[in-house]
Amino acid sequence: MKFTPEKCSIEDQKMKPFIDPDEIWNYINNTVSTKEKVREIIEKSLSKQRLTLEETAVLINATNPELIEEIKQGARKLKETVYGNRIVLFAPLYVGNKCTNNCKYCGFRASNKEAIRKTLSDQELIEEVEALEDTGQKRLILVYGEHPAYSPEYIAHTVNLVYGVKKGQGEIRRVNINAAPLDIDGFRTVKDSNVGTYQVFQETYNPEAYKLYHLGGKKADYEYRLTSLDRAQEAGLDDVGIGALFGLYDWRFEVMGLVRHTNHLEACYNVGPHTISFPRIQSASVLDMNDKYIVSNEDFVKLVAILRLAVPYTGMILTARENAAVRDEVIRFGVSQIDGGTKLELGSYSHSKNEEQDLNKEQFAINDNRSLNEIIEDLIEKDYIPSFCTACYRLGRTGEHFMEFSVPGFIKRYCTPNAILTLAEYLSDYAPGETADKGWALIERHILLIDNENTINELRNRVERIKAGDRDLYF
Ligand code: SAM
Ligand code: SF4
């Protein structure tokens, strides 16, 4: 598939900055949002086309509660009709919190002398992964501060280490990364370790605001960060995740920035981001922030729905920064991945204590402390299929998020059956009795919804093989 480039004020060039704040503000300030326009734009998105900056601004400017409700329902419909009702689960694993940067919002910043610094030793990392495997996790995102100790070689080493840990029936089948931007060679080194998605969040797309929050270290260079995922593409690492930290600047600008980043990657590399993240700022050790741009729950739901509609082919990630009630609400409007059983303190998966969160040991506070199993049970009760699927990635079907979106019948043939198979593994190996009962009933219900007899038969056959002890079966 070839993306049609969108004409923007700055011509898209590889590894060159592309954000023009005046252009973004112009759209936000001068775009009129009428009922007809909003409905037309929702229809465009439901026909699986990415929205332009102007169309995104129309949705942003819709303030009438009835129209906002239509935007939310549009996002919900897109999610249901295009993606079905799987939710992919993962866990973050903090590898090291040394950091030479001074991001005002982050507990790990260099000037925070209260922070307790730590990098996991290889043995500690292995123990963390074993503890995560014991709960049933199959997908991790490794997180690092920005520090010379966390070189591309070191990152690649930790990724390889994680893939090598097998405990009982457990293994990690996909390792994603959230770390500092690298140069092209650095991205190449990390790519060779078979990494999944490489996430770099721009934090704020507004260059002036960016300057205020990033007071030193390499991260103070806005343009180097903005072009980081171009360098990943140049290195052949085409599976990238973008994000903005909501609460630093006007949320409307950040939504436009994320869409502009998406159309830049499409224009230069004919590939959009694999995932979009939209973390909201949380309290952190010695937080140095004011609350001018704090995003209300109401706006948060609206912005997630707009992002879903604006970039219909991308995975959307919602983390345990948000509490269970917000997650429940937001998940309906387009989220495809959530973390479960999350702990941010280094080493805390293997040495779990029933202590209060200690912000001097964590990057920021989390608000959803449920275990992975509690989250899985909750999803099952709401008729979502919890999934640990990694099939496409391992079969070399890269760009899978795009296939599931664009290939008719892909979800029914591959995604739903694979979600069911990975859930069957979880139920067999890790779920307590009550969760298992609910999970097997969900599997039966969803098998009956598949309309192809061959798929049903083959799926039933594989579920039985999993019950009998086979593992890692996928379509
Ligand atoms: N150090 C690397 C970097 O800055 O890109 C990688 C990881 S950083 C630990 C992960 C992300 O956490 C940041 O990109 C930022 O968006 C988010 N973050 C930092 N402080 C936060 C806070 N107080 N609340 C919520 N998210 C925060
Ligand atoms: Fe360091 Fe990342 Fe925190 Fe900034 S956000 S202080 S770079 S860990």
Side-chain angles (χ1 to χ4, degrees):
M1 144 121 196
K2 186 98 189 87
F3 288 103
T4 320
E6 182 179 342
K7 190 135 188 51
C8 295
S9 60
I10 298 178
E11 195 192 336
D12 284 295
Q13 289 181 53
K14 293 179 177 177
M15 295 193 285
K16 292 275 187 268
F18 48 86
I19 292 287
D20 174 358
D22 290 340
E23 176 182 52
I24 291 181
W25 276 122
N26 203 11
Y27 279 127
I28 296 174
N29 291 330
N30 301 316
T31 307
V32 183
S33 183
T34 63
K35 211 183 256 186
E36 292 67 35
K37 270 202 210 164
V38 168
R39 289 184 179 157
E40 222 174 86
I41 290 167
I42 294 173
E43 281 314 308
K44 177 178 173 187
S45 174
L46 287 172
S47 73
K48 298 187 178 183
Q49 296 176 64
R50 183 183 52 71
L51 303 182
T52 62
L53 287 171
E54 185 175 1
E55 289 160 345
T56 307
V58 172
L59 299 188
I60 286 174
N61 285 331
T63 48
N64 168 337
E66 211 182 294
L67 277 187
I68 294 177
E69 196 47 41
E70 288 192 28
I71 291 172
K72 284 160 61 176
Q73 291 320 322
R76 196 170 174 172
K77 190 164 166 201
L78 183 81
K79 177 181 152 79
E80 283 169 4
T81 53
V82 178
Y83 292 100
N85 49 359
R86 299 157 299 135
I87 297 286
V88 170
L89 291 155
F90 69 96
L93 171 51
Y94 278 68
V95 180
N97 68 358
K98 291 188 193 171
C99 196
T100 49
N101 292 326
N102 256 318
C103 311
K104 272 190 163 185
Y105 44 81
C106 177
F108 290 168
R109 67 185 184 282
S111 64
N112 181 9
K113 302 298 172 213
E114 311 283 310
I116 298 163
R117 305 285 165 183
K118 184 169 170 63
T119 304
L120 297 180
S121 66
D122 285 0
Q123 186 51 37
E124 286 169 327
L125 180 57
I126 291 168
E127 285 167 19
E128 286 290 273
V129 177
E130 286 179 341
L132 284 157
E133 288 179 358
D134 280 345
T135 66
Q137 299 280 7
K138 297 280 186 283
R139 305 168 61 109
L140 301 183
I141 179 151
L142 305 187
V143 187
Y144 314 72
E146 179 158 0
H147 192 273
Y150 311 140
S151 63
E153 291 71 23
Y154 176 74
I155 292 176
H157 164 73
T158 52
V159 172
N160 286 324
L161 209 59
V162 169
Y163 278 130
V165 178
K166 317 258 179 210
K167 174 136 188 256
Q169 299 279 20
E171 62 179 346
I172 300 302
R173 298 176 182 158
R174 181 167 171 115
V175 179
N176 299 326
I177 297 283
N178 188 320
L182 304 175
D183 60 18
I184 297 175
D185 280 345
F187 276 120
R188 234 175 245 133
T189 303
V190 173
K191 178 187 160 47
D192 289 345
S193 67
N194 228 348
V195 72
T197 309
Y198 199 105
Q199 293 182 345
V200 177
F201 302 160
Q202 185 59 27
E203 320 298 11
T204 171
Y205 282 92
N206 184 283
E208 293 304 317
Y210 189 93
K211 250 190 248 161
L212 299 176
Y213 291 109
H214 301 100
L215 301 177
K218 273 169 105 174
K219 193 163 166 181
D221 186 341
Y222 171 88
E223 292 191 355
Y224 186 74
R225 195 159 177 101
L226 189 66
T227 52
S228 53
L229 297 174
D230 285 45
R231 293 191 298 281
Q233 300 287 342
E234 295 287 327
L237 208 170
D238 62 358
D239 188 334
V240 298
I242 63 173
L245 181 54
F246 282 87
L248 298 184
Y249 190 61
D250 193 309
W251 67 263
R252 300 170 302 166
F253 191 98
E254 307 300 11
V255 169
M256 296 291 282
L258 288 165
V259 175
R260 181 69 185 96
H261 201 163
T262 299
N263 71 26
H264 169 76
L265 291 170
E266 288 176 3
C268 292
Y269 299 98
N270 199 41
V271 60
H274 191 135
T275 54
I276 297 185
S277 300
F278 29 86
R280 263 196 305 187
I281 197 106
Q282 303 299 321
S283 55
S285 168
V286 207
L287 191 70
D288 183 9
M289 295 273 309
N290 66 40
D291 54 9
K292 179 163 177 206
Y293 293 114
I294 290 299
V295 180
S296 68
N297 284 351
E298 212 177 302
D299 285 340
F300 189 60
V301 175
K302 179 178 167 187
L303 77 85
V304 173
I306 293 173
L307 282 171
R308 173 68 299 156
L309 291 169
V311 194
Y313 60 78
T314 288
M316 306 243 297
I317 302 181
L318 179 70
T319 67
R321 290 173 178 87
E322 302 297 338
N323 66 36
V326 171
R327 296 233 271 184
D328 270 1
E329 167 81 357
V330 172
I331 225 171
R332 297 151 61 215
F333 303 114
V335 169
S336 48
Q337 293 188 29
I338 62 171
D339 52 345
T342 295
K343 294 183 181 165
L344 299 193
E345 184 181 330
L346 279 104
S348 57
Y349 288 114
S350 48
H351 297 97
S352 88
K353 296 158 266 165
N354 286 328
E355 285 173 6
E356 293 276 295
Q357 288 187 36
D358 179 350
L359 285 184
N360 289 331
K361 296 180 183 158
E362 296 173 6
Q363 191 192 8
F364 49 79
I366 57 167
N367 290 302
D368 186 350
N369 289 300
R370 289 175 296 171
S371 68
L372 177 63
N373 192 70
E374 284 169 323
I375 288 191
I376 287 184
E377 192 164 325
D378 189 47
L379 289 172
I380 291 172
E381 280 167 4
K382 298 189 167 104
D383 207 36
Y384 292 109
I385 313 176
S387 173
F388 295 94
C389 181
T390 53
C392 285
Y393 160 73
R394 290 158 78 226
L395 284 167
R397 291 195 296 242
T398 52
E400 75 270 24
H401 61 301
F402 206 74
M403 277 198 243
E404 58 185 78
F405 166 80
S406 60
V407 178
F410 193 90
I411 304 266
K412 281 192 182 145
R413 249 173 72 214
Y414 296 103
C415 306
T416 304
N418 284 334
I420 287 175
L421 291 175
T422 56
L423 177 62
E425 284 188 341
Y426 177 82
L427 299 177
S428 304
D429 293 336
Y430 305 103
E434 208 177 311
T435 317
D437 291 345
K438 291 178 189 168
W440 291 118
L442 175 103
I443 286 181
E444 190 49 36
R445 276 200 308 282
H446 283 270
I447 289 183
L448 293 176
L449 294 175
I450 297 174
D451 53 11
N452 179 309
E453 205 156 325
N454 287 342
T455 310
I456 295 182
N457 291 341
E458 187 49 36
L459 183 55
R460 283 201 192 283
N461 171 18
R462 291 187 192 197
V463 168
E464 288 311 312
R465 280 171 59 197
I466 287 173
K467 285 185 180 164
D470 273 4
R471 290 293 170 269
D472 205 12
L473 305 177
Y474 46 84
F475 291 91

